[in-house]
Amino acid sequence: VGGHIVTPMGLSPHMFFEDVFSCSTHESVSKATDLNMLHHHVRGLTTLIHAFWINGDELSSNEMKDALFGARDSVNNLIRFCIESINQQYTEDTNLESLPNKAKQQMLLDQNVHKIIINTLTAPFKPMAWNKHTLKLKDVSLPRHKILNYICKRSYKLLTLMVKGNSQFAMQ
């Protein structure tokens, strides 16, 4: 029937469907880029968590060293992400006491990054059924655990930044 569809109401113009999943605005593309970056860095943290579950307190393996360095880079990039805004780019000299970007704080919380950070902080000290070897909290300050100590301090800093200036975020 030409360009019409027969419906119970009679003839109607041909229907078309809009692609509701496309990213057509700059803001949507920017959010997709941010989400991809977040997922990449969360993967760096979960790699470390899994390495602790498998290797326990054995930090000298190549797999564990790679996981530690990857987690260090990931947590630093997540801090950078939380602080950056359109008007302020993060550098090593950026004052970490400045207020973070609220929209980016929300995105971090929406992606449950806080739970991954908490798991990152607890994994070295939590015994698993198949691996009872864990670190003692006092051992983290030893020179041989310098990178793990750094990751723990930076992870805590990220958790602080995720709620700073927005007390309602602390309850999530």
Side-chain angles (χ1 to χ4, degrees):
V1 183
H4 293 82
I5 299 174
V6 177
T7 65
M9 300 298 284
L11 294 177
S12 65
H14 184 61
M15 305 214 28
F16 70 94
F17 296 96
E18 183 180 345
D19 183 4
V20 295
F21 298 105
S22 68
C23 294
S24 60
T25 67
H26 176 70
E27 183 178 323
S28 296
V29 172
S30 176
K31 283 183 182 178
T33 301
D34 286 347
L35 284 171
N36 284 334
M37 188 277 307
L38 281 179
H39 289 140
H40 171 76
H41 293 301
V42 164
R43 202 168 31 252
L45 296 172
T46 57
T47 299
L48 179 63
I49 294 166
H50 291 287
F52 273 111
W53 289 347
I54 294 167
N55 298 317
D57 63 350
E58 180 54 49
L59 301 181
S60 61
S61 72
N62 287 337
E63 177 189 2
M64 183 61 88
K65 286 178 183 177
D66 289 344
L68 285 164
F69 288 117
R72 178 200 61 194
D73 294 343
S74 290
V75 76
N76 281 330
N77 283 311
L78 290 169
I79 288 171
R80 178 178 296 117
F81 174 79
C82 190
I83 291 175
E84 280 185 343
S85 67
I86 293 171
N87 300 322
Q88 171 189 351
Q89 295 299 312
Y90 175 87
T91 66
E92 291 301 320
D93 298 326
T94 300
N95 181 1
L96 293 180
E97 301 308 315
S98 61
L99 285 178
N101 182 317
K102 186 174 181 175
K104 291 184 176 184
Q105 283 177 308
Q106 185 66 56
M107 187 178 285
L108 288 165
L109 289 167
D110 289 345
Q111 297 302 309
N112 289 318
V113 173
H114 56 295
K115 291 180 182 177
I116 300 296
I117 293 294
I118 290 168
N119 286 338
T120 301
L121 287 167
T122 60
F125 313 104
K126 187 184 283 186
M128 293 292 159
W130 59 88
N131 192 346
K132 302 282 186 201
H133 300 286
T134 62
L135 290 173
K136 305 272 187 281
L137 191 56
K138 64 181 178 167
D139 293 342
V140 175
S141 61
L142 296 174
R144 68 175 182 232
H145 300 307
K146 183 178 180 178
I147 190 165
L148 181 60
N149 187 330
Y150 178 83
I151 291 168
C152 289
K153 287 178 180 178
R154 298 297 281 178
S155 294
Y156 180 76
K157 183 63 179 177
L158 178 58
L159 285 174
T160 305
L161 287 170
M162 287 175 65
V163 298
K164 186 174 185 178
N166 296 297
S167 58
Q168 73 273 17
F169 289 166
M171 304 306 289
Q172 294 185 10

